[in-house]
Amino acid sequence: MRYLTYFTTDNQRIDIKSNWLGEEKIYHNGKLVSSQQSILGSYHSFSVIEHDEPADYQVRIGIRWPARMGFDIYRNGRALLLS
């Protein structure tokens, strides 16, 4: 099940997916870049090359109040999405 699809300002696609067993997967432009098991949320970190330059991403997934999933996405230490 897809939780979130996010497009950066330079058209990079980040997909956050999870299944009922708690397996979280992060995709960058369709390529799997991180996978973890979690029930209450987790922290994903990965590096990719974008436009011939390295980009470091951090994705935080967790439960937010009231009873919803929250996502924070950072690129090179700068917040792209905070929920």
Side-chain angles (χ1 to χ4, degrees):
M1 168 172 63
R2 180 175 39 232
Y3 274 129
L4 177 75
T5 296
Y6 179 81
F7 288 93
T8 66
T9 56
D10 61 345
N11 211 31
Q12 303 297 313
R13 180 179 174 150
I14 308 241
D15 289 303
I16 300 173
K17 298 182 180 183
S18 183
N19 64 24
W20 62 277
L21 295 173
E23 183 178 19
E24 299 173 346
K25 293 183 179 184
I26 310 293
Y27 294 85
H28 178 270
N29 293 332
K31 180 182 174 187
L32 179 65
V33 290
S34 184
S35 178
Q36 293 183 22
Q37 285 289 128
S38 174
I39 299 293
L40 299 176
S42 62
Y43 175 82
H44 297 261
S45 180
F46 60 93
S47 297
V48 294
I49 301 295
E50 296 176 346
H51 308 294
D52 297 324
E53 294 186 15
D56 298 316
Y57 283 89
Q58 295 80 38
V59 177
R60 295 181 184 145
I61 303 170
I63 297 176
R64 305 289 199 272
W65 183 257
R68 66 177 177 89
M69 293 301 293
F71 307 97
D72 298 335
I73 302 174
Y74 296 85
R75 180 182 184 271
N76 295 334
R78 183 171 173 217
L80 299 178
L81 174 69
L82 300 174
S83 62

